[in-house]
Structure formats: structure tokens, C-alpha cells
Amino acid sequence: MIYAFKNYFKKRGSKMSKVHVMDHPLIVHKITKLRDKDTPVKEFRELVNEIALLMGYEATRDLKLVDKEVETPITKMIGKEIAKPIAVVPILRAGLGMVDAIMNIVPSAKVGHIGLYRDEVTHEPHEYYCKLPDRINERLVIVCDPMLATGGSAIQAVDFLKDKGCKNIKFMCIFASEVGIKLLYEKHPDVKIYAANYAPGPLNENGYIVPGLGDAGDRIYG
């Protein structure tokens, strides 16, 4: 399913941007279990991994391929391999819960880390750590964070990557608010957004998505 925010983007006079929202029945089912406040930590962590795995197939659907000659037990042939190296960059700490799923489908991907914490009063993100793979500017970078709420952390993470020369960036989250999507698009209209769930309503007074699931990092790590 693709949601297009027509009213917003038409006012800006730009080409309509699209956010990819997954509507696979398994994802919808697992998100309901994620929301449940009584879901224990172990199961919550497993659900995040399972949802990220299902999302990973969609987020990598448009990977470019190049020819590669291989020799089968019968004869030589021309197959295909991924053309561009990939990096997975979780936003610490909650984004770590999505990394293994992507690495399972793209084992050759390299992993970087961007550490951000949110000021509980201003809701603004602050950096405390950034370590990226070599040749990061040559890679397709998939940034992971379970929640795209205010958009501040996502924007700052993409800022870091673009400062390093990255030009091909995707953002993958489980929950995305309309506020977060709009702000991320305003700052980085070239970044594709993949979400498992879209929340059109306003954030609450603490900057959390409603109904959401609370603090993803706390629920992943107990």
C-alpha cells in the first residue's frame, strides 16, 4: 500500500512523494501484538525482528543488479548479483532490534551505528556516537529506527550520512507519524520511507505516536 500526502505536497508545488506502508496480513497481525502492553520483552523483541524481516524484502525490491558469470555443475551461465554495496545503520538504541533481520536477507551488508538520545523536555535529538562502515558514500544505506515520531532523530541521522557523501539512503521504521513523515520529507525529499504502520493523528504531549506502543527501546531491552 502507498499513501500519498496530496494536500501537503501539492501546496509545495513538488512532485508527489510516496511513503511505502506495508499492509501484509502477517505484519498487521504482528503489529497488534506489538502494541499490547502485556507483550513480554522476549516476544516483543522477536516481533520487531520478524516485522523488520518482512519489511526488508520490500525495502530492497528495487536493488540494482549486474551480470555475473557462474559455473553450474552443468555449464557456465550469466547470473545476477547486487550491484551496489549495502550498509545498515540503526539509530541507537532501538534501531538495533531491526538489524539482524536485514542482515539475514543481505548477509554481505556492513553495519554502522548512530547514537542519539532525545531530550525529554524539548524532544530534540542529541548525538553521542557515530561510527560508519568504510566507503559509506558508495553504499545504499538503510537507516533503521522502529519509530518515526517527531522526525528529529531521522533527520539528524540522514544529515550525518549526507555529510559523509551518502547519496542513496532509505529510512525503514515500524511506526511512522504524519508529523515525522512531513518533516523528514521537507529536509530530505530524496529519502524513501518504508513503514509497517502509519499514524495520521497528532503526537501526544510527550512526542509519542498515538496509539503507538510506548518507548520502543525500553520495550525491546526491558
Side-chain angles (χ1 to χ4, degrees):
M1 182 184 297
I2 297 176
Y3 287 89
F5 301 99
K6 298 180 182 179
N7 294 336
Y8 177 74
F9 291 120
K10 281 187 176 179
K11 286 179 182 177
R12 296 184 60 83
S14 63
K15 188 176 181 179
M16 188 184 302
S17 179
K18 293 178 179 178
V19 179
H20 300 265
V21 179
M22 316 301 164
D23 60 350
H24 192 288
L26 287 176
I27 291 180
V28 175
H29 168 75
K30 293 175 188 296
I31 282 178
T32 299
K33 298 179 72 176
L34 262 190
R35 292 189 190 276
D36 190 338
K37 66 180 180 63
D38 294 323
T39 296
V41 171
K42 180 178 183 295
E43 184 179 359
F44 187 93
R45 191 161 50 239
E46 291 169 348
L47 287 165
V48 168
N49 180 77
E50 290 164 6
I51 292 170
L53 181 66
L54 292 167
M55 293 181 65
Y57 286 103
E58 186 64 29
T60 55
R61 179 183 293 275
D62 60 352
L63 290 179
K64 299 294 188 296
L65 300 172
V66 293
D67 291 344
K68 178 180 174 60
E69 184 179 275
V70 295
E71 187 168 355
T72 77
I74 308 301
T75 185
K76 289 184 179 180
M77 63 161 289
I78 301 298
K80 300 287 183 180
E81 66 179 359
I82 297 171
K84 198 176 186 69
I86 297 173
V88 183
V89 180
I91 298 177
L92 303 180
R93 62 187 165 151
L96 284 172
M98 303 173 69
V99 172
D100 285 349
I102 302 175
M103 295 298 291
N104 281 336
I105 58 175
V106 192
S108 62
K110 302 298 184 183
V111 180
H113 300 89
I114 295 178
L116 300 169
Y117 72 89
R118 188 175 73 158
D119 187 294
E120 295 301 325
V121 176
T122 66
H123 303 154
E124 291 297 316
H126 299 278
E127 176 196 1
Y128 66 87
Y129 184 78
C130 183
K131 182 71 172 177
L132 302 172
D134 63 335
R135 300 186 296 119
I136 190 67
N137 60 309
E138 300 174 15
R139 300 177 183 274
L140 161 64
V141 181
I142 302 176
V143 180
C144 300
D145 195 349
M147 313 298 284
L148 176 59
T150 64
S153 295
I155 290 169
Q156 191 162 343
V158 175
D159 284 342
F160 292 154
L161 292 166
K162 287 189 173 180
D163 286 345
K164 299 294 185 181
C166 298
K167 296 180 175 62
N168 191 0
I169 302 170
K170 296 183 178 185
F171 186 84
M172 200 171 93
C173 60
I174 295 179
F175 290 88
S177 73
E178 186 169 1
V179 172
I181 288 170
K182 286 182 177 181
L183 291 179
L184 180 55
Y185 178 84
E186 283 182 341
K187 188 68 186 293
H188 299 292
D190 57 316
V191 173
K192 294 181 179 179
I193 301 171
Y194 295 84
N197 182 269
Y198 164 63
L203 304 175
N204 70 9
E205 65 275 8
N206 295 316
Y208 285 178
I209 295 173
V210 179
L213 48 72
D215 187 293
D218 284 351
R219 297 196 64 186
I220 290 172
Y221 298 109

